[in-house]
Amino acid sequence: MTEPVVAQKAPYPVDVVKGESYWWCACGRSANQPFCDGSHQGTDITPVEWVSDKDGKAWFCGCKATKSPTMCDGSHKAL
């Protein structure tokens, strides 16, 4: 099993739009963090779709250790 790479030890704040789909990078290899750019190819990790239920700021996980993919849950504080 492939382990995810820690992209950063902090969340990524992103302005999101209600009803839009966002594909969160779960592997940590994307150059377009926190979103997938296809860099997971060759791993067993796949991106996770998240659909916003409102306009505003969302805090996507950067450490890839969150227990609630795709959003930051503070797991980076234990790394």
Side-chain angles (χ1 to χ4, degrees):
M1 183 168 151
T2 307
E3 292 295 320
V5 173
V6 176
Q8 72 175 20
K9 291 183 180 179
Y12 289 94
V14 177
D15 291 320
V16 296
V17 177
K18 181 179 181 177
E20 292 287 317
S21 286
Y22 299 87
W23 288 92
W24 176 71
C25 169
C27 72
R29 291 166 174 78
S30 175
N32 188 34
Q33 291 294 329
F35 304 117
C36 178
D37 69 359
S39 295
H40 62 276
Q41 298 300 320
T43 75
D44 59 352
I45 302 173
T46 57
V48 179
E49 182 181 20
W50 180 80
V51 179
S52 179
D53 61 358
K54 62 183 177 182
D55 292 337
K57 186 82 63 191
W59 298 87
F60 288 87
C61 174
C63 73
K64 312 308 175 185
T66 183
K67 303 296 185 275
S68 26
T70 57
M71 295 295 124
C72 176
D73 67 0
S75 292
H76 61 275
K77 295 175 185 173
L79 297 179

